[in-house]
Amino acid sequence: MTAAKPNPYAAKPGDYLSNVNNFQLIDSTLREGEQFANAFFDTEKKIEIARALDDFGVDYIELTSPVASEQSRKDCEAICKLGLKAKILTHIRCHMDDARVAVQTGVDGVDVVIGTSKFLRQYSHGKDMNYIAKSAVEVIEFVKSKGIEIRFSSEDSFRSDLVDLLNIYKTVDKIGVNRVGIADTVGCANPRQVYELVRTLKSVVHCDVECHFHNDTGCAIANAYTALEGGARLIDVSVLGIGERNGITPLGGLMARMIVAAPDYVKSKYKLHKIRDIENLVADAVEVNIPFNNPITGFCAFTHKAGIHAKAILANPSTYEILDPHDFGMKRYIHFANRLTGWNAIKARVDQLNLNLTDDQIKEVTAKIKKLGDVRSLNIDDVDSIIKNFHTEVTTPQVLSARKNKQNDSDVPELATIPSAKRTKPSA
Amino acid sequence: MTAAKPNPYAAKPGDYLSNVNNFQLIDSTLREGEQFANAFFDTEKKIEIARALDDFGVDYIELTSPVASEQSRKDCEAICKLGLKAKILTHIRCHMDDARVAVQTGVDGVDVVIGTSKFLRQYSHGKDMNYIAKSAVEVIEFVKSKGIEIRFSSEDSFRSDLVDLLNIYKTVDKIGVNRVGIADTVGCANPRQVYELVRTLKSVVHCDVECHFHNDTGCAIANAYTALEGGARLIDVSVLGIGERNGITPLGGLMARMIVAAPDYVKSKYKLHKIRDIENLVADAVEVNIPFNNPITGFCAFTHKAGIHAKAILANPSTYEILDPHDFGMKRYIHFANRLTGWNAIKARVDQLNLNLTDDQIKEVTAKIKKLGDVRSLNIDDVDSIIKNFHTEVTTPQVLSARKNKQNDSDVPELATIPSAKRTKPSA
């Protein structure tokens, strides 16, 4: 079966095969995402989403199987005719009936999937590994004969027998499949397991490895990242992660992860400032809100609150930010209207209001703000009023002298701020 | 500095120190969570949340520093007096002023933190590592002298110098700190990096390791899991992950991850069916919605839609579920009112409606449903109407005979379902 005799003492391919700086995105909002409970995309909406994803720069767009319904087939054909830069894929079962329909839609490639876990073999299609291999070879050779790309993926790969998996991947690699896929269909995989499986697979096949991770146990982004470290090349994503159950690796969340690891590659390849618009487009279409804690676009993703955080962020944003909001067309926000605030945050607000107060005066007004913040929730207007009143008090001569007389019986509580803070200019 | 001479040829502690089956939770909703943009908890709400967390079974509850504000101190004292099973901690800067206040509140332990990254050393407190070590020793010895637990944590650990970190951890371990903490303060860490750092740290210290992960790049759950694999014992969580920016490892999401890895331990220790109530309590208090894709409690976490998924789930839920919704007091839902539906899902609905149709009849009505689902979004009533009308048609003799006559010119499209599906009884 092996073409060239491997040298067991040579460096292992996995050691230098990280694709963190060289990955591709397969967006499946219009396939996996259509399996999200709330999703119903009409043709017009599908085209709008496909165009937005193409503009963002995804490498592939995956569509629902043309045999799922008559309209699914027509929509697939319509999107193929748009002339997008992204390659168009459709996703079918490992069956000639499906393959025959798929290759006639005009797609650039076909993603074939079959369940290989004992669960799916027993309760879904009821076939053994020999049957799976035979069908796979037939479908792959047929699709290849039409001159379009073909991916073969197992389903529920992490609950499949490793030897079965490697056997079938080796078989399909040998007949020239473009990619093999690993799918964590139930969302059970953990990062170190992913790394091991991808590395092992990369030592068996020559083609690219694509990975698909569900998010049931919250690891879909981390698993995708670790798969790239292990040598996978392509990651399946969807906008906001929509898909079966609670979905898959989200496009935006993965971009947050990848920009940290490969900033130049990510910024040169993808229009990151479009993420917010694409998420809003899809969220509207499936009638959900952007989660409050969504990476990048969640309402507080770049909000800093505790005094100690605000102080450092004002000196240099890198202190408490690994992501620069400007890379995504977003802005940071220093939350100063609360009892955890510190005098550095209030000083920044005083500057914004264009008022003149000494550091000691700012510390004094900060204490007043914190005291009120202990009693109730504050908003910006509350704080601005306190600051402005205080400013009037200390800058109006007659008020000032009256104030000085009662300085000793002040009811201001002790400050919880670091004593000798010196503001430094941001270096970045 | 080392007490016993280590044998460099012995098995490394990290090899057998996974704590996946033996972890503890430090819930920080009332500390980190108070730093969430929308959070303002009054005393009553704090007590309600603390009691709910205690009932759930968290091992520790961490509270905002008593020097943050006067009310913060009073609330800390009030919660200490509740007599909860969970140990109460407060979280302070590495400073004697803070420590003196903290030990008087009645807490069971004090969590001390100081920034060790070059960013925080330069732009936050401006101190060098010698100063940090000196303050740490002073604070730790003082807190220990009061007979309460003490944790020492670095801040922004993953951007700190490794040698600096190991030096300070070794120093504080030697003087008998209860736990050392690693904090991914900016959310930059990835799982394999976490695993390496925790393992290395475990080879240097004898005490427990606690980990705190922010979620800026979507890896907070995976990093927590991988930290436990590497030998960490305690994970910081908050309800819904609320905290600075988009927060930290969420309690519910981590439970989803851990129940997969350590089902007996998790089920015996934590009241998992309380997660939904606790999340609702906190979501209401901070005025956010549960994210649509939240692990466990998101509205679609246990919803199955595509025909092929629904079919297998009906045969055996383990096919497409790694989490059992019943473990969390939740239910699964088979979404059948859409164009991706299959005849197995419709058959299940026909059974629920207590109607009698043959498999061939169900395939026929499924085609009608998919056809309508191609034109517009369907709801359950739409599908039920189609099924009931069809049932009337096929069971009313005169309608039936009229129907048979036009059987040949039927406009029903071809079905996209697997031909010879056999339902099997669920094994679990």
Side-chain angles (χ1 to χ4, degrees):
Chain A
M1 294 284 277
T2 45
K5 274 194 185 172
N7 173 3
Y9 311 110
K12 295 285 183 295
D15 296 340
Y16 47 86
L17 277 186
S18 164
N19 277 316
V20 165
N21 277 294
N22 185 34
F23 65 92
Q24 295 193 312
L25 293 177
I26 297 179
D27 184 278
S28 191
T29 307
L30 298 177
R31 196 281 292 177
E32 178 72 53
E34 227 192 343
Q35 294 173 222
F36 172 59
N38 261 23
F40 173 84
F41 302 126
D42 61 21
T43 310
E44 199 184 351
K45 191 56 72 183
K46 283 186 186 177
I47 289 174
E48 195 181 352
I49 292 170
R51 285 194 195 281
L53 290 166
D54 185 52
D55 183 40
F56 172 79
V58 301
D59 303 273
Y60 292 87
I61 293 173
E62 187 182 66
L63 307 177
T64 295
S65 170
V67 301
S69 75
E70 179 64 10
Q71 193 59 46
S72 300
R73 187 179 58 73
K74 289 181 186 162
D75 293 344
C76 186
E77 289 172 354
I79 291 171
C80 288
K81 287 188 187 124
L82 295 177
L84 303 179
K85 295 185 298 294
K87 289 185 185 172
I88 308 300
L89 304 171
T90 190
H91 181 264
I92 61 168
R93 293 168 302 175
C94 188
H95 199 289
M96 282 301 289
D97 291 350
D98 291 15
R100 283 191 202 97
V101 179
V103 298
Q104 285 173 353
T105 56
V107 291
D108 301 299
V110 174
D111 285 349
V112 170
V113 67
I114 191 160
T116 43
S117 73
K118 67 175 192 300
F119 293 103
L120 292 176
R121 281 159 56 191
Q122 184 175 356
Y123 297 106
S124 180
H125 52 70
K127 311 298 185 191
D128 65 16
M129 290 307 293
N130 281 338
Y131 180 92
I132 290 173
K134 207 166 145 275
S135 321
V137 172
E138 187 184 7
V139 169
I140 291 164
E141 290 189 332
F142 171 72
V143 174
K144 274 175 65 78
S145 76
K146 303 293 173 182
I148 59 180
E149 285 189 18
I150 175 87
R151 179 213 71 187
F152 174 84
S153 181
S154 64
E155 200 182 356
D156 204 1
S157 317
F158 292 87
R159 297 193 298 174
S160 300
D161 180 82
L162 179 64
V163 179
D164 283 350
L165 277 188
L166 297 180
N167 261 321
I168 186 124
Y169 286 131
K170 193 168 175 180
T171 303
V172 299
D173 182 51
K174 212 179 154 217
I175 60 168
V177 82
N178 296 84
R179 307 185 295 282
V180 291
I182 291 175
D184 181 19
T185 308
V186 297
C188 65
N190 68 61
R192 291 177 63 236
Q193 205 177 6
V194 168
Y195 186 77
E196 289 305 319
L197 181 57
V198 172
R199 276 185 64 138
T200 304
L201 179 54
K202 281 297 287 182
S203 71
V204 168
V205 299
H206 297 83
C207 63
D208 281 338
V209 172
E210 169 185 339
C211 288
H212 181 91
F213 295 108
H214 276 264
N215 206 21
D216 300 75
T217 64
C219 294
I221 295 171
N223 284 342
Y225 179 76
T226 313
L228 294 175
E229 285 189 317
R233 176 95 201 280
L234 304 102
I235 301 292
D236 289 4
V237 296
S238 70
V239 178
L240 293 168
I242 61 168
E244 285 281 352
R245 305 186 309 282
N246 76 340
I248 63 167
T249 307
L251 172 67
L254 185 63
M255 289 298 93
R257 176 69 252 164
M258 298 316 299
I259 198 176
V260 171
D264 295 340
Y265 182 78
V266 168
K267 285 190 227 176
S268 68
K269 195 166 173 201
Y270 301 110
K271 290 189 188 164
L272 300 176
H273 58 285
K274 300 273 186 182
I275 290 176
R276 181 164 46 170
D277 291 344
I278 296 174
E279 288 188 350
N280 286 338
L281 170 65
V282 172
D284 285 353
V286 301
E287 296 175 330
V288 298
N289 291 331
I290 306 293
F292 76 88
N293 53 4
N294 208 47
I296 302 169
T297 58
F299 92 99
C300 54
F302 299 105
T303 299
H304 304 272
K305 184 168 171 183
I308 198 170
H309 285 225
K311 174 195 167 196
I313 277 284
L314 288 163
N316 178 351
S318 293
T319 48
Y320 284 101
E321 269 176 6
I322 194 68
L323 302 173
D324 182 345
H326 304 103
D327 284 338
F328 306 96
M330 309 290 288
K331 284 180 182 163
R332 78 175 53 86
Y333 177 66
I334 309 290
H335 193 305
F336 55 87
N338 65 80
R339 67 174 150 203
L340 304 180
T341 198
W343 75 273
N344 290 276
I346 300 301
K347 182 179 170 69
R349 183 63 183 165
V350 168
D351 289 348
Q352 282 178 334
L353 294 171
N354 204 20
L355 300 176
N356 253 320
L357 292 173
T358 67
D359 283 0
D360 281 346
Q361 288 168 335
I362 289 169
K363 288 178 189 176
E364 194 176 335
V365 75
T366 301
K368 285 178 189 284
I369 292 161
K370 289 172 76 76
K371 208 174 171 190
L372 186 62
D374 248 356
V375 183
R376 63 175 176 85
S377 179
L378 298 179
N379 62 37
I380 297 173
D381 293 327
D382 294 329
V383 173
D384 285 355
S385 298
I386 297 171
I387 292 173
K388 285 175 190 163
N389 289 343
F390 181 85
H391 182 261
T392 309
E393 207 176 289
V394 296
T395 53
T396 312
Q398 59 273 39
V399 181
L400 188 63
S401 70
R403 194 171 160 272
K404 272 189 176 151
N405 292 336
K406 59 163 224 155
Q407 193 81 320
N408 287 336
D409 53 47
S410 161
D411 61 355
V412 173
E414 226 179 88
L415 281 177
T417 52
I418 294 168
S420 64
K422 235 177 86 181
R423 281 186 75 199
T424 319
K425 279 204 180 138
S427 70
Chain B
M1 291 284 278
T2 46
K5 276 195 185 172
N7 174 3
Y9 311 110
K12 294 284 180 296
D15 296 340
Y16 48 86
L17 276 187
S18 164
N19 277 316
V20 166
N21 276 293
N22 185 34
F23 66 92
Q24 296 193 312
L25 294 177
I26 297 179
D27 184 277
S28 190
T29 308
L30 298 176
R31 195 282 293 175
E32 179 72 52
E34 229 193 342
Q35 293 173 225
F36 172 59
N38 261 24
F40 174 84
F41 302 126
D42 62 22
T43 310
E44 198 184 349
K45 190 56 71 181
K46 283 186 185 175
I47 288 173
E48 195 181 350
I49 292 169
R51 285 195 194 280
L53 290 167
D54 187 53
D55 183 41
F56 172 79
V58 301
D59 303 274
Y60 291 87
I61 293 172
E62 187 182 65
L63 306 177
T64 294
S65 170
V67 301
S69 75
E70 179 63 10
Q71 193 60 46
S72 300
R73 188 180 58 73
K74 288 181 184 160
D75 292 344
C76 185
E77 289 171 356
I79 290 171
C80 288
K81 285 185 187 127
L82 295 177
L84 303 179
K85 294 184 300 294
K87 290 186 184 171
I88 308 300
L89 305 171
T90 190
H91 181 264
I92 62 168
R93 292 169 301 176
C94 187
H95 199 290
M96 282 302 289
D97 291 350
D98 291 15
R100 283 191 200 96
V101 180
V103 299
Q104 285 172 355
T105 56
V107 291
D108 301 297
V110 174
D111 285 349
V112 170
V113 67
I114 191 160
T116 44
S117 74
K118 67 176 192 303
F119 294 101
L120 293 175
R121 281 158 58 190
Q122 183 175 356
Y123 296 107
S124 180
H125 52 71
K127 311 298 186 191
D128 66 16
M129 290 307 296
N130 281 338
Y131 180 93
I132 290 172
K134 206 167 146 276
S135 321
V137 171
E138 187 184 8
V139 169
I140 292 163
E141 289 187 332
F142 171 72
V143 174
K144 274 176 63 79
S145 77
K146 302 293 173 181
I148 59 181
E149 286 189 19
I150 174 87
R151 179 215 69 186
F152 173 84
S153 181
S154 64
E155 200 182 358
D156 203 1
S157 315
F158 292 87
R159 295 193 301 173
S160 299
D161 180 81
L162 180 64
V163 179
D164 283 350
L165 277 188
L166 297 180
N167 262 322
I168 186 122
Y169 285 132
K170 192 169 176 178
T171 302
V172 299
D173 182 51
K174 210 178 155 214
I175 61 169
V177 80
N178 296 82
R179 306 185 294 282
V180 291
I182 291 174
D184 180 20
T185 308
V186 297
C188 66
N190 69 61
R192 293 178 60 235
Q193 206 177 5
V194 168
Y195 186 78
E196 289 305 318
L197 182 57
V198 173
R199 276 185 65 137
T200 304
L201 180 54
K202 281 298 289 182
S203 72
V204 168
V205 300
H206 298 83
C207 63
D208 281 337
V209 172
E210 168 184 340
C211 287
H212 181 90
F213 296 108
H214 276 264
N215 205 23
D216 300 74
T217 63
C219 295
I221 295 172
N223 283 342
Y225 178 77
T226 313
L228 294 175
E229 285 189 317
R233 176 94 200 280
L234 305 102
I235 300 293
D236 290 5
V237 295
S238 71
V239 178
L240 293 169
I242 61 169
E244 284 281 352
R245 306 186 309 285
N246 76 340
I248 63 167
T249 307
L251 173 65
L254 186 62
M255 288 298 95
R257 177 70 249 165
M258 299 315 299
I259 199 176
V260 171
D264 296 341
Y265 181 77
V266 169
K267 286 191 227 176
S268 69
K269 195 166 173 202
Y270 301 111
K271 290 188 189 166
L272 301 175
H273 58 287
K274 300 273 186 184
I275 289 175
R276 183 165 44 171
D277 290 344
I278 296 175
E279 288 188 350
N280 286 337
L281 170 66
V282 172
D284 284 352
V286 301
E287 297 175 329
V288 297
N289 291 331
I290 306 293
F292 77 88
N293 54 4
N294 208 46
I296 301 169
T297 57
F299 92 99
C300 54
F302 299 106
T303 297
H304 305 271
K305 183 169 171 186
I308 198 169
H309 284 225
K311 174 195 167 194
I313 278 283
L314 287 163
N316 179 351
S318 292
T319 47
Y320 284 102
E321 268 177 7
I322 194 68
L323 303 173
D324 182 348
H326 303 103
D327 283 338
F328 305 96
M330 309 290 287
K331 285 180 180 164
R332 80 174 52 85
Y333 176 65
I334 309 290
H335 193 305
F336 54 88
N338 65 82
R339 67 175 151 202
L340 303 180
T341 197
W343 74 273
N344 291 276
I346 299 301
K347 184 180 167 70
R349 184 61 184 167
V350 168
D351 290 348
Q352 282 178 336
L353 294 172
N354 203 21
L355 300 176
N356 251 319
L357 292 174
T358 66
D359 282 0
D360 280 345
Q361 287 169 336
I362 289 169
K363 287 177 190 176
E364 195 176 336
V365 76
T366 302
K368 284 177 191 285
I369 292 161
K370 288 172 79 76
K371 209 173 170 190
L372 186 62
D374 248 355
V375 183
R376 63 175 176 84
S377 178
L378 300 178
N379 62 36
I380 297 174
D381 292 326
D382 294 328
V383 174
D384 286 355
S385 298
I386 297 172
I387 292 173
K388 284 175 190 162
N389 289 344
F390 182 85
H391 183 259
T392 309
E393 209 177 290
V394 297
T395 53
T396 311
Q398 58 275 37
V399 181
L400 187 62
S401 71
R403 193 173 160 275
K404 272 189 178 154
N405 292 335
K406 60 162 222 154
Q407 195 82 319
N408 287 334
D409 53 46
S410 162
D411 61 355
V412 173
E414 226 178 85
L415 282 177
T417 52
I418 292 167
S420 63
K422 235 177 89 183
R423 282 188 72 200
T424 320
K425 279 200 181 144
S427 69

